[in-house]
Amino acid sequence: EPEVTQTPSHQVTQMGQEVILRCVPISNHLYFYWYRQILGQKVEFLVSFYNNEISEKSEIFDDQFSVERPDGSNFTLKIRSTKLEDSAMYFCASSGWTGNTIYFGEGSWLTVV
Amino acid sequence: AQKVTQAQTEISVVEKEDVTLDCVYETRDTTYYLFWYKQPPSGELVFLIRRNSFDEQNEISGRYSWNFQKSTSSFNFTITASQVVDSAVYFCALSEAEDYKLSFGAGTTVTVRA
């Protein structure tokens, strides 16, 4: 069964460092997403991406964050200068069309120290 | 405003008992989609079920069933004959028409004891 894959599964980084989280969405999907879950809290929407541009972003997704689809398969989330409060599980997701089922990857756990 | 409310924070049951998880949603759209996801201790988010707003037929899929009632804006989820492997956090989520994102509830932690 097709799945969303994410790397790394866990990353520890120093405050102020740049981090890139990588994702390979399901191959025939058109919509890509990043969500965040701070430990013990609910899952929060960060950004959606369609047709090579951001279609919607939340207030969490400030200038420190950026997304890119550098080739036909990868979808990346970059955090330019990490803060302690960026520590969270970051989920990549994809769907075939809006309203269709959104499938999530296994998550990348980011720890900022 | 909170779009999805899961009033139950934690539920603990003994194996083989049924578990019903409550979800109440809020939307002005006439077309929307409702989901349940499971998050086991390993952390991934696993899709369980999806329902369209224009289809109120309730169904059963294996040990899972759901009760969708537009009149009360509720989308409850039942696990029949629970098993220890059902122990997880369960999230209800809403996706509105022309919107790309899921709005999640706070989650309900289900613990099934042997």
Side-chain angles (χ1 to χ4, degrees), chain A residues 31 33 35 37 42-43 45 48 56 91 97-102 104, chain B residues 2 33 35 37 39 43-45 47 50 91 99-102 104-106:
Chain A
Y31 296 86
Y33 314 84
Y35 286 77
Q37 184 182 31
K42 69 178 179 180
V43 181
F45 169 78
S48 58
E56 187 173 356
F91 290 103
W97 45 271
T98 55
N100 199 356
T101 300
I102 297 177
F104 287 83
Chain B
Q2 189 74 272
Y33 308 88
F35 302 81
Y37 286 88
Q39 187 174 43
E44 70 270 28
L45 281 169
F47 164 75
R50 168 179 176 265
F91 290 97
D99 193 356
Y100 301 95
K101 63 180 184 290
L102 288 172
F104 282 84

PDB file of all heavy atoms in Angstrom, chain A residues 31 33 35 37 42-43 45 48 56 91 97-102 104, chain B residues 2 33 35 37 39 43-45 47 50 91 99-102 104-106:
ATOM      1  N   TYR A  31      -1.921  17.204  -3.423  1.00  0.00           N
ATOM      2  CA  TYR A  31      -1.895  18.165  -2.325  1.00  0.00           C
ATOM      3  C   TYR A  31      -0.954  17.655  -1.242  1.00  0.00           C
ATOM      4  O   TYR A  31      -1.005  16.485  -0.877  1.00  0.00           O
ATOM      5  CB  TYR A  31      -3.295  18.356  -1.743  1.00  0.00           C
ATOM      6  CG  TYR A  31      -4.276  18.970  -2.715  1.00  0.00           C
ATOM      7  CD1 TYR A  31      -4.984  18.168  -3.598  1.00  0.00           C
ATOM      8  CD2 TYR A  31      -4.464  20.345  -2.767  1.00  0.00           C
ATOM      9  CE1 TYR A  31      -5.870  18.720  -4.511  1.00  0.00           C
ATOM     10  CE2 TYR A  31      -5.346  20.907  -3.669  1.00  0.00           C
ATOM     11  CZ  TYR A  31      -6.048  20.099  -4.539  1.00  0.00           C
ATOM     12  OH  TYR A  31      -6.913  20.639  -5.446  1.00  0.00           O
ATOM     13  N   TYR A  33       1.017  18.581   2.624  1.00  0.00           N
ATOM     14  CA  TYR A  33       0.784  19.322   3.861  1.00  0.00           C
ATOM     15  C   TYR A  33       1.906  19.074   4.856  1.00  0.00           C
ATOM     16  O   TYR A  33       2.549  18.018   4.838  1.00  0.00           O
ATOM     17  CB  TYR A  33      -0.525  18.866   4.530  1.00  0.00           C
ATOM     18  CG  TYR A  33      -1.721  18.739   3.632  1.00  0.00           C
ATOM     19  CD1 TYR A  33      -1.932  17.577   2.900  1.00  0.00           C
ATOM     20  CD2 TYR A  33      -2.650  19.767   3.524  1.00  0.00           C
ATOM     21  CE1 TYR A  33      -3.032  17.447   2.072  1.00  0.00           C
ATOM     22  CE2 TYR A  33      -3.757  19.649   2.706  1.00  0.00           C
ATOM     23  CZ  TYR A  33      -3.940  18.483   1.981  1.00  0.00           C
ATOM     24  OH  TYR A  33      -5.041  18.352   1.160  1.00  0.00           O
ATOM     25  N   TYR A  35       1.986  19.300   9.152  1.00  0.00           N
ATOM     26  CA  TYR A  35       1.291  19.519  10.408  1.00  0.00           C
ATOM     27  C   TYR A  35       2.319  19.385  11.528  1.00  0.00           C
ATOM     28  O   TYR A  35       3.375  18.763  11.365  1.00  0.00           O
ATOM     29  CB  TYR A  35       0.189  18.471  10.616  1.00  0.00           C
ATOM     30  CG  TYR A  35      -1.039  18.666   9.763  1.00  0.00           C
ATOM     31  CD1 TYR A  35      -1.040  18.307   8.422  1.00  0.00           C
ATOM     32  CD2 TYR A  35      -2.205  19.208  10.301  1.00  0.00           C
ATOM     33  CE1 TYR A  35      -2.175  18.479   7.634  1.00  0.00           C
ATOM     34  CE2 TYR A  35      -3.337  19.385   9.527  1.00  0.00           C
ATOM     35  CZ  TYR A  35      -3.309  19.013   8.194  1.00  0.00           C
ATOM     36  OH  TYR A  35      -4.427  19.193   7.424  1.00  0.00           O
ATOM     37  N   GLN A  37       2.744  18.657  15.911  1.00  0.00           N
ATOM     38  CA  GLN A  37       2.125  18.246  17.165  1.00  0.00           C
ATOM     39  C   GLN A  37       3.145  18.409  18.280  1.00  0.00           C
ATOM     40  O   GLN A  37       4.114  17.650  18.386  1.00  0.00           O
ATOM     41  CB  GLN A  37       1.644  16.792  17.098  1.00  0.00           C
ATOM     42  CG  GLN A  37       0.900  16.352  18.352  1.00  0.00           C
ATOM     43  CD  GLN A  37       0.484  14.896  18.289  1.00  0.00           C
ATOM     44  OE1 GLN A  37       1.154  14.060  17.673  1.00  0.00           O
ATOM     45  NE2 GLN A  37      -0.633  14.563  18.918  1.00  0.00           N
ATOM     46  N   LYS A  42      -2.686  18.712  20.577  1.00  0.00           N
ATOM     47  CA  LYS A  42      -3.357  18.249  19.367  1.00  0.00           C
ATOM     48  C   LYS A  42      -2.525  18.564  18.131  1.00  0.00           C
ATOM     49  O   LYS A  42      -1.558  19.320  18.172  1.00  0.00           O
ATOM     50  CB  LYS A  42      -4.744  18.851  19.253  1.00  0.00           C
ATOM     51  CG  LYS A  42      -4.798  20.338  18.987  1.00  0.00           C
ATOM     52  CD  LYS A  42      -6.259  20.747  18.853  1.00  0.00           C
ATOM     53  CE  LYS A  42      -6.412  22.220  18.608  1.00  0.00           C
ATOM     54  NZ  LYS A  42      -7.853  22.592  18.484  1.00  0.00           N
ATOM     55  N   VAL A  43      -2.929  17.974  17.032  1.00  0.00           N
ATOM     56  CA  VAL A  43      -2.235  18.156  15.767  1.00  0.00           C
ATOM     57  C   VAL A  43      -2.677  19.484  15.153  1.00  0.00           C
ATOM     58  O   VAL A  43      -3.880  19.767  15.058  1.00  0.00           O
ATOM     59  CB  VAL A  43      -2.558  16.989  14.810  1.00  0.00           C
ATOM     60  CG1 VAL A  43      -1.818  17.149  13.503  1.00  0.00           C
ATOM     61  CG2 VAL A  43      -2.211  15.650  15.469  1.00  0.00           C
ATOM     62  N   PHE A  45      -2.349  22.355  11.944  1.00  0.00           N
ATOM     63  CA  PHE A  45      -2.026  22.602  10.543  1.00  0.00           C
ATOM     64  C   PHE A  45      -0.956  23.674  10.420  1.00  0.00           C
ATOM     65  O   PHE A  45      -1.006  24.706  11.099  1.00  0.00           O
ATOM     66  CB  PHE A  45      -3.295  23.042   9.819  1.00  0.00           C
ATOM     67  CG  PHE A  45      -3.079  23.584   8.438  1.00  0.00           C
ATOM     68  CD1 PHE A  45      -2.851  22.746   7.364  1.00  0.00           C
ATOM     69  CD2 PHE A  45      -3.132  24.953   8.216  1.00  0.00           C
ATOM     70  CE1 PHE A  45      -2.668  23.253   6.089  1.00  0.00           C
ATOM     71  CE2 PHE A  45      -2.953  25.475   6.944  1.00  0.00           C
ATOM     72  CZ  PHE A  45      -2.725  24.625   5.882  1.00  0.00           C
ATOM     73  N   SER A  48      -0.300  24.093   3.467  1.00  0.00           N
ATOM     74  CA  SER A  48      -0.679  23.197   2.383  1.00  0.00           C
ATOM     75  C   SER A  48      -0.040  23.703   1.092  1.00  0.00           C
ATOM     76  O   SER A  48       0.211  24.908   0.937  1.00  0.00           O
ATOM     77  CB  SER A  48      -2.196  23.108   2.244  1.00  0.00           C
ATOM     78  OG  SER A  48      -2.749  24.386   2.026  1.00  0.00           O
ATOM     79  N   GLU A  56      -2.352  27.476   1.386  1.00  0.00           N
ATOM     80  CA  GLU A  56      -2.816  28.054   2.641  1.00  0.00           C
ATOM     81  C   GLU A  56      -1.748  27.834   3.709  1.00  0.00           C
ATOM     82  O   GLU A  56      -1.025  26.847   3.662  1.00  0.00           O
ATOM     83  CB  GLU A  56      -4.139  27.413   3.085  1.00  0.00           C
ATOM     84  CG  GLU A  56      -4.768  28.063   4.288  1.00  0.00           C
ATOM     85  CD  GLU A  56      -6.143  27.518   4.598  1.00  0.00           C
ATOM     86  OE1 GLU A  56      -6.659  26.687   3.833  1.00  0.00           O
ATOM     87  OE2 GLU A  56      -6.706  27.931   5.629  1.00  0.00           O
ATOM     88  N   PHE A  91       4.542  16.275  11.006  1.00  0.00           N
ATOM     89  CA  PHE A  91       3.950  15.281  10.121  1.00  0.00           C
ATOM     90  C   PHE A  91       3.813  15.853   8.716  1.00  0.00           C
ATOM     91  O   PHE A  91       3.267  16.944   8.526  1.00  0.00           O
ATOM     92  CB  PHE A  91       2.547  14.880  10.595  1.00  0.00           C
ATOM     93  CG  PHE A  91       2.524  14.070  11.852  1.00  0.00           C
ATOM     94  CD1 PHE A  91       2.184  14.651  13.053  1.00  0.00           C
ATOM     95  CD2 PHE A  91       2.807  12.714  11.815  1.00  0.00           C
ATOM     96  CE1 PHE A  91       2.137  13.897  14.226  1.00  0.00           C
ATOM     97  CE2 PHE A  91       2.770  11.953  12.973  1.00  0.00           C
ATOM     98  CZ  PHE A  91       2.445  12.546  14.182  1.00  0.00           C
ATOM     99  N   TRP A  97      -7.123  14.980  -3.639  1.00  0.00           N
ATOM    100  CA  TRP A  97      -7.854  16.215  -3.909  1.00  0.00           C
ATOM    101  C   TRP A  97      -8.440  16.704  -2.598  1.00  0.00           C
ATOM    102  O   TRP A  97      -8.475  15.976  -1.615  1.00  0.00           O
ATOM    103  CB  TRP A  97      -8.948  16.015  -4.962  1.00  0.00           C
ATOM    104  CG  TRP A  97      -9.782  14.785  -4.796  1.00  0.00           C
ATOM    105  CD1 TRP A  97      -9.529  13.561  -5.300  1.00  0.00           C
ATOM    106  CD2 TRP A  97     -11.010  14.648  -4.057  1.00  0.00           C
ATOM    107  NE1 TRP A  97     -10.511  12.678  -4.927  1.00  0.00           N
ATOM    108  CE2 TRP A  97     -11.434  13.300  -4.175  1.00  0.00           C
ATOM    109  CE3 TRP A  97     -11.785  15.532  -3.312  1.00  0.00           C
ATOM    110  CZ2 TRP A  97     -12.601  12.836  -3.577  1.00  0.00           C
ATOM    111  CZ3 TRP A  97     -12.959  15.069  -2.707  1.00  0.00           C
ATOM    112  CH2 TRP A  97     -13.342  13.728  -2.856  1.00  0.00           C
ATOM    113  N   THR A  98      -8.883  17.954  -2.585  1.00  0.00           N
ATOM    114  CA  THR A  98      -9.385  18.520  -1.336  1.00  0.00           C
ATOM    115  C   THR A  98     -10.603  17.735  -0.862  1.00  0.00           C
ATOM    116  O   THR A  98     -11.491  17.422  -1.628  1.00  0.00           O
ATOM    117  CB  THR A  98      -9.785  19.992  -1.500  1.00  0.00           C
ATOM    118  OG1 THR A  98     -10.733  20.083  -2.573  1.00  0.00           O
ATOM    119  CG2 THR A  98      -8.588  20.831  -1.825  1.00  0.00           C
ATOM    120  N   GLY A  99     -10.624  17.413   0.376  1.00  0.00           N
ATOM    121  CA  GLY A  99     -11.708  16.644   0.959  1.00  0.00           C
ATOM    122  C   GLY A  99     -11.446  15.159   0.922  1.00  0.00           C
ATOM    123  O   GLY A  99     -12.096  14.398   1.624  1.00  0.00           O
ATOM    124  N   ASN A 100     -10.513  14.765   0.094  1.00  0.00           N
ATOM    125  CA  ASN A 100     -10.178  13.349   0.054  1.00  0.00           C
ATOM    126  C   ASN A 100      -9.379  13.000   1.298  1.00  0.00           C
ATOM    127  O   ASN A 100      -8.932  13.869   2.028  1.00  0.00           O
ATOM    128  CB  ASN A 100      -9.358  13.058  -1.203  1.00  0.00           C
ATOM    129  CG  ASN A 100      -9.370  11.587  -1.553  1.00  0.00           C
ATOM    130  OD1 ASN A 100      -9.928  10.774  -0.821  1.00  0.00           O
ATOM    131  ND2 ASN A 100      -8.756  11.231  -2.642  1.00  0.00           N
ATOM    132  N   THR A 101      -9.206  11.730   1.513  1.00  0.00           N
ATOM    133  CA  THR A 101      -8.491  11.309   2.704  1.00  0.00           C
ATOM    134  C   THR A 101      -7.053  11.828   2.668  1.00  0.00           C
ATOM    135  O   THR A 101      -6.366  11.744   1.657  1.00  0.00           O
ATOM    136  CB  THR A 101      -8.486   9.779   2.797  1.00  0.00           C
ATOM    137  OG1 THR A 101      -9.850   9.342   2.861  1.00  0.00           O
ATOM    138  CG2 THR A 101      -7.734   9.320   4.030  1.00  0.00           C
ATOM    139  N   ILE A 102      -6.632  12.403   3.778  1.00  0.00           N
ATOM    140  CA  ILE A 102      -5.269  12.882   3.934  1.00  0.00           C
ATOM    141  C   ILE A 102      -4.483  11.808   4.669  1.00  0.00           C
ATOM    142  O   ILE A 102      -4.847  11.419   5.785  1.00  0.00           O
ATOM    143  CB  ILE A 102      -5.242  14.219   4.700  1.00  0.00           C
ATOM    144  CG1 ILE A 102      -5.979  15.290   3.889  1.00  0.00           C
ATOM    145  CG2 ILE A 102      -3.807  14.654   4.974  1.00  0.00           C
ATOM    146  CD1 ILE A 102      -6.071  16.642   4.577  1.00  0.00           C
ATOM    147  N   PHE A 104      -0.994  10.468   6.379  1.00  0.00           N
ATOM    148  CA  PHE A 104       0.135  11.041   7.098  1.00  0.00           C
ATOM    149  C   PHE A 104       1.344  10.110   7.081  1.00  0.00           C
ATOM    150  O   PHE A 104       1.205   8.884   7.068  1.00  0.00           O
ATOM    151  CB  PHE A 104      -0.250  11.309   8.556  1.00  0.00           C
ATOM    152  CG  PHE A 104      -1.177  12.468   8.732  1.00  0.00           C
ATOM    153  CD1 PHE A 104      -2.542  12.312   8.550  1.00  0.00           C
ATOM    154  CD2 PHE A 104      -0.692  13.725   9.078  1.00  0.00           C
ATOM    155  CE1 PHE A 104      -3.410  13.382   8.700  1.00  0.00           C
ATOM    156  CE2 PHE A 104      -1.549  14.798   9.233  1.00  0.00           C
ATOM    157  CZ  PHE A 104      -2.908  14.630   9.044  1.00  0.00           C
TER     158      PHE A 104
ATOM    159  N   GLN B   2     -13.266  26.853  18.295  1.00  0.00           N
ATOM    160  CA  GLN B   2     -12.973  25.429  18.237  1.00  0.00           C
ATOM    161  C   GLN B   2     -13.908  24.781  17.242  1.00  0.00           C
ATOM    162  O   GLN B   2     -15.119  24.791  17.422  1.00  0.00           O
ATOM    163  CB  GLN B   2     -13.187  24.829  19.638  1.00  0.00           C
ATOM    164  CG  GLN B   2     -12.735  23.418  19.797  1.00  0.00           C
ATOM    165  CD  GLN B   2     -11.225  23.329  19.865  1.00  0.00           C
ATOM    166  OE1 GLN B   2     -10.565  23.221  18.833  1.00  0.00           O
ATOM    167  NE2 GLN B   2     -10.687  23.365  21.042  1.00  0.00           N
ATOM    168  N   TYR B  33     -16.133  17.170   5.403  1.00  0.00           N
ATOM    169  CA  TYR B  33     -15.689  15.790   5.553  1.00  0.00           C
ATOM    170  C   TYR B  33     -15.214  15.587   6.983  1.00  0.00           C
ATOM    171  O   TYR B  33     -14.563  16.453   7.564  1.00  0.00           O
ATOM    172  CB  TYR B  33     -14.552  15.495   4.565  1.00  0.00           C
ATOM    173  CG  TYR B  33     -14.902  15.854   3.150  1.00  0.00           C
ATOM    174  CD1 TYR B  33     -14.677  17.144   2.661  1.00  0.00           C
ATOM    175  CD2 TYR B  33     -15.492  14.929   2.300  1.00  0.00           C
ATOM    176  CE1 TYR B  33     -15.029  17.491   1.378  1.00  0.00           C
ATOM    177  CE2 TYR B  33     -15.835  15.268   1.016  1.00  0.00           C
ATOM    178  CZ  TYR B  33     -15.608  16.558   0.554  1.00  0.00           C
ATOM    179  OH  TYR B  33     -15.965  16.895  -0.725  1.00  0.00           O
ATOM    180  N   PHE B  35     -13.341  12.880   9.799  1.00  0.00           N
ATOM    181  CA  PHE B  35     -12.366  11.795   9.847  1.00  0.00           C
ATOM    182  C   PHE B  35     -12.138  11.367  11.293  1.00  0.00           C
ATOM    183  O   PHE B  35     -12.301  12.145  12.225  1.00  0.00           O
ATOM    184  CB  PHE B  35     -11.004  12.263   9.292  1.00  0.00           C
ATOM    185  CG  PHE B  35     -11.033  12.770   7.884  1.00  0.00           C
ATOM    186  CD1 PHE B  35     -11.448  14.061   7.608  1.00  0.00           C
ATOM    187  CD2 PHE B  35     -10.619  11.969   6.840  1.00  0.00           C
ATOM    188  CE1 PHE B  35     -11.460  14.549   6.304  1.00  0.00           C
ATOM    189  CE2 PHE B  35     -10.620  12.446   5.529  1.00  0.00           C
ATOM    190  CZ  PHE B  35     -11.043  13.740   5.275  1.00  0.00           C
ATOM    191  N   TYR B  37      -8.771   9.531  13.183  1.00  0.00           N
ATOM    192  CA  TYR B  37      -7.398   9.043  13.084  1.00  0.00           C
ATOM    193  C   TYR B  37      -7.001   8.438  14.422  1.00  0.00           C
ATOM    194  O   TYR B  37      -7.439   8.882  15.474  1.00  0.00           O
ATOM    195  CB  TYR B  37      -6.427  10.178  12.762  1.00  0.00           C
ATOM    196  CG  TYR B  37      -6.481  10.669  11.332  1.00  0.00           C
ATOM    197  CD1 TYR B  37      -7.379  11.665  10.962  1.00  0.00           C
ATOM    198  CD2 TYR B  37      -5.640  10.141  10.357  1.00  0.00           C
ATOM    199  CE1 TYR B  37      -7.435  12.120   9.651  1.00  0.00           C
ATOM    200  CE2 TYR B  37      -5.685  10.590   9.048  1.00  0.00           C
ATOM    201  CZ  TYR B  37      -6.585  11.579   8.707  1.00  0.00           C
ATOM    202  OH  TYR B  37      -6.631  12.030   7.406  1.00  0.00           O
ATOM    203  N   GLN B  39      -3.670   7.427  16.852  1.00  0.00           N
ATOM    204  CA  GLN B  39      -2.241   7.649  17.095  1.00  0.00           C
ATOM    205  C   GLN B  39      -1.775   6.692  18.182  1.00  0.00           C
ATOM    206  O   GLN B  39      -1.957   6.954  19.373  1.00  0.00           O
ATOM    207  CB  GLN B  39      -1.964   9.097  17.498  1.00  0.00           C
ATOM    208  CG  GLN B  39      -0.470   9.411  17.601  1.00  0.00           C
ATOM    209  CD  GLN B  39      -0.189  10.877  17.855  1.00  0.00           C
ATOM    210  OE1 GLN B  39      -0.854  11.516  18.668  1.00  0.00           O
ATOM    211  NE2 GLN B  39       0.801  11.423  17.165  1.00  0.00           N
ATOM    212  N   GLY B  43       3.476   6.808  17.718  1.00  0.00           N
ATOM    213  CA  GLY B  43       3.420   8.204  17.286  1.00  0.00           C
ATOM    214  C   GLY B  43       2.836   8.502  15.918  1.00  0.00           C
ATOM    215  O   GLY B  43       2.488   9.655  15.654  1.00  0.00           O
ATOM    216  N   GLU B  44       2.727   7.510  15.056  1.00  0.00           N
ATOM    217  CA  GLU B  44       2.216   7.836  13.718  1.00  0.00           C
ATOM    218  C   GLU B  44       0.716   8.102  13.760  1.00  0.00           C
ATOM    219  O   GLU B  44       0.032   7.732  14.709  1.00  0.00           O
ATOM    220  CB  GLU B  44       2.536   6.703  12.722  1.00  0.00           C
ATOM    221  CG  GLU B  44       1.759   5.418  12.935  1.00  0.00           C
ATOM    222  CD  GLU B  44       2.447   4.451  13.860  1.00  0.00           C
ATOM    223  OE1 GLU B  44       3.209   4.894  14.748  1.00  0.00           O
ATOM    224  OE2 GLU B  44       2.202   3.235  13.719  1.00  0.00           O
ATOM    225  N   LEU B  45       0.223   8.744  12.727  1.00  0.00           N
ATOM    226  CA  LEU B  45      -1.206   9.020  12.596  1.00  0.00           C
ATOM    227  C   LEU B  45      -1.784   8.063  11.561  1.00  0.00           C
ATOM    228  O   LEU B  45      -1.408   8.096  10.394  1.00  0.00           O
ATOM    229  CB  LEU B  45      -1.444  10.462  12.159  1.00  0.00           C
ATOM    230  CG  LEU B  45      -1.350  11.529  13.234  1.00  0.00           C
ATOM    231  CD1 LEU B  45      -1.346  12.908  12.619  1.00  0.00           C
ATOM    232  CD2 LEU B  45      -2.492  11.392  14.232  1.00  0.00           C
ATOM    233  N   PHE B  47      -5.016   6.678   9.503  1.00  0.00           N
ATOM    234  CA  PHE B  47      -6.374   6.960   9.056  1.00  0.00           C
ATOM    235  C   PHE B  47      -7.279   5.781   9.386  1.00  0.00           C
ATOM    236  O   PHE B  47      -6.934   4.625   9.142  1.00  0.00           O
ATOM    237  CB  PHE B  47      -6.364   7.223   7.546  1.00  0.00           C
ATOM    238  CG  PHE B  47      -7.727   7.155   6.907  1.00  0.00           C
ATOM    239  CD1 PHE B  47      -8.634   8.181   7.085  1.00  0.00           C
ATOM    240  CD2 PHE B  47      -8.084   6.066   6.128  1.00  0.00           C
ATOM    241  CE1 PHE B  47      -9.888   8.121   6.504  1.00  0.00           C
ATOM    242  CE2 PHE B  47      -9.329   5.998   5.542  1.00  0.00           C
ATOM    243  CZ  PHE B  47     -10.238   7.024   5.724  1.00  0.00           C
ATOM    244  N   ARG B  50     -13.567   7.952   7.126  1.00  0.00           N
ATOM    245  CA  ARG B  50     -13.901   9.247   6.540  1.00  0.00           C
ATOM    246  C   ARG B  50     -15.369   9.241   6.169  1.00  0.00           C
ATOM    247  O   ARG B  50     -15.887   8.237   5.692  1.00  0.00           O
ATOM    248  CB  ARG B  50     -13.059   9.477   5.287  1.00  0.00           C
ATOM    249  CG  ARG B  50     -13.484  10.632   4.404  1.00  0.00           C
ATOM    250  CD  ARG B  50     -12.526  10.733   3.218  1.00  0.00           C
ATOM    251  NE  ARG B  50     -12.940  11.755   2.280  1.00  0.00           N
ATOM    252  CZ  ARG B  50     -13.672  11.510   1.202  1.00  0.00           C
ATOM    253  NH1 ARG B  50     -14.063  10.290   0.918  1.00  0.00           N
ATOM    254  NH2 ARG B  50     -14.006  12.497   0.390  1.00  0.00           N
ATOM    255  N   PHE B  91      -8.165  10.803  17.317  1.00  0.00           N
ATOM    256  CA  PHE B  91      -8.469  12.178  16.946  1.00  0.00           C
ATOM    257  C   PHE B  91      -9.617  12.212  15.944  1.00  0.00           C
ATOM    258  O   PHE B  91      -9.617  11.483  14.948  1.00  0.00           O
ATOM    259  CB  PHE B  91      -7.253  12.846  16.297  1.00  0.00           C
ATOM    260  CG  PHE B  91      -6.108  13.120  17.234  1.00  0.00           C
ATOM    261  CD1 PHE B  91      -5.037  12.243  17.320  1.00  0.00           C
ATOM    262  CD2 PHE B  91      -6.119  14.259  18.029  1.00  0.00           C
ATOM    263  CE1 PHE B  91      -3.984  12.495  18.182  1.00  0.00           C
ATOM    264  CE2 PHE B  91      -5.061  14.521  18.893  1.00  0.00           C
ATOM    265  CZ  PHE B  91      -3.997  13.639  18.969  1.00  0.00           C
ATOM    266  N   ASP B  99     -11.452  23.950   1.369  1.00  0.00           N
ATOM    267  CA  ASP B  99     -10.410  24.171   2.363  1.00  0.00           C
ATOM    268  C   ASP B  99      -9.450  23.000   2.282  1.00  0.00           C
ATOM    269  O   ASP B  99      -9.843  21.872   2.010  1.00  0.00           O
ATOM    270  CB  ASP B  99     -11.064  24.242   3.743  1.00  0.00           C
ATOM    271  CG  ASP B  99     -10.147  24.780   4.810  1.00  0.00           C
ATOM    272  OD1 ASP B  99      -8.970  25.032   4.505  1.00  0.00           O
ATOM    273  OD2 ASP B  99     -10.611  24.956   5.937  1.00  0.00           O
ATOM    274  N   TYR B 100      -8.224  23.248   2.505  1.00  0.00           N
ATOM    275  CA  TYR B 100      -7.250  22.193   2.309  1.00  0.00           C
ATOM    276  C   TYR B 100      -6.829  21.521   3.599  1.00  0.00           C
ATOM    277  O   TYR B 100      -6.111  20.546   3.569  1.00  0.00           O
ATOM    278  CB  TYR B 100      -6.005  22.768   1.622  1.00  0.00           C
ATOM    279  CG  TYR B 100      -6.313  23.402   0.292  1.00  0.00           C
ATOM    280  CD1 TYR B 100      -6.534  24.761   0.191  1.00  0.00           C
ATOM    281  CD2 TYR B 100      -6.401  22.622  -0.854  1.00  0.00           C
ATOM    282  CE1 TYR B 100      -6.822  25.339  -1.031  1.00  0.00           C
ATOM    283  CE2 TYR B 100      -6.692  23.203  -2.077  1.00  0.00           C
ATOM    284  CZ  TYR B 100      -6.898  24.556  -2.163  1.00  0.00           C
ATOM    285  OH  TYR B 100      -7.181  25.123  -3.362  1.00  0.00           O
ATOM    286  N   LYS B 101      -7.259  22.052   4.703  1.00  0.00           N
ATOM    287  CA  LYS B 101      -6.658  21.571   5.929  1.00  0.00           C
ATOM    288  C   LYS B 101      -7.644  20.815   6.813  1.00  0.00           C
ATOM    289  O   LYS B 101      -8.850  20.956   6.716  1.00  0.00           O
ATOM    290  CB  LYS B 101      -6.123  22.760   6.731  1.00  0.00           C
ATOM    291  CG  LYS B 101      -7.160  23.752   7.187  1.00  0.00           C
ATOM    292  CD  LYS B 101      -6.499  24.879   7.964  1.00  0.00           C
ATOM    293  CE  LYS B 101      -7.519  25.844   8.516  1.00  0.00           C
ATOM    294  NZ  LYS B 101      -8.155  26.633   7.434  1.00  0.00           N
ATOM    295  N   LEU B 102      -7.069  19.977   7.658  1.00  0.00           N
ATOM    296  CA  LEU B 102      -7.830  19.283   8.693  1.00  0.00           C
ATOM    297  C   LEU B 102      -7.752  20.080   9.986  1.00  0.00           C
ATOM    298  O   LEU B 102      -6.677  20.519  10.372  1.00  0.00           O
ATOM    299  CB  LEU B 102      -7.239  17.893   8.942  1.00  0.00           C
ATOM    300  CG  LEU B 102      -7.449  16.820   7.882  1.00  0.00           C
ATOM    301  CD1 LEU B 102      -6.623  15.590   8.206  1.00  0.00           C
ATOM    302  CD2 LEU B 102      -8.921  16.449   7.800  1.00  0.00           C
ATOM    303  N   PHE B 104      -8.206  19.433  13.807  1.00  0.00           N
ATOM    304  CA  PHE B 104      -8.260  18.292  14.711  1.00  0.00           C
ATOM    305  C   PHE B 104      -8.887  18.666  16.047  1.00  0.00           C
ATOM    306  O   PHE B 104      -8.736  19.800  16.529  1.00  0.00           O
ATOM    307  CB  PHE B 104      -6.842  17.775  14.992  1.00  0.00           C
ATOM    308  CG  PHE B 104      -6.266  16.937  13.889  1.00  0.00           C
ATOM    309  CD1 PHE B 104      -5.652  17.522  12.798  1.00  0.00           C
ATOM    310  CD2 PHE B 104      -6.323  15.554  13.959  1.00  0.00           C
ATOM    311  CE1 PHE B 104      -5.109  16.748  11.787  1.00  0.00           C
ATOM    312  CE2 PHE B 104      -5.782  14.764  12.955  1.00  0.00           C
ATOM    313  CZ  PHE B 104      -5.176  15.368  11.860  1.00  0.00           C
ATOM    314  N   GLY B 105      -9.537  17.674  16.664  1.00  0.00           N
ATOM    315  CA  GLY B 105      -9.915  17.811  18.061  1.00  0.00           C
ATOM    316  C   GLY B 105      -8.707  17.557  18.943  1.00  0.00           C
ATOM    317  O   GLY B 105      -7.617  17.227  18.457  1.00  0.00           O
ATOM    318  N   ALA B 106      -8.924  17.693  20.231  1.00  0.00           N
ATOM    319  CA  ALA B 106      -7.826  17.561  21.184  1.00  0.00           C
ATOM    320  C   ALA B 106      -7.410  16.118  21.411  1.00  0.00           C
ATOM    321  O   ALA B 106      -6.353  15.856  21.989  1.00  0.00           O
ATOM    322  CB  ALA B 106      -8.212  18.205  22.513  1.00  0.00           C
TER     323      ALA B 106
END
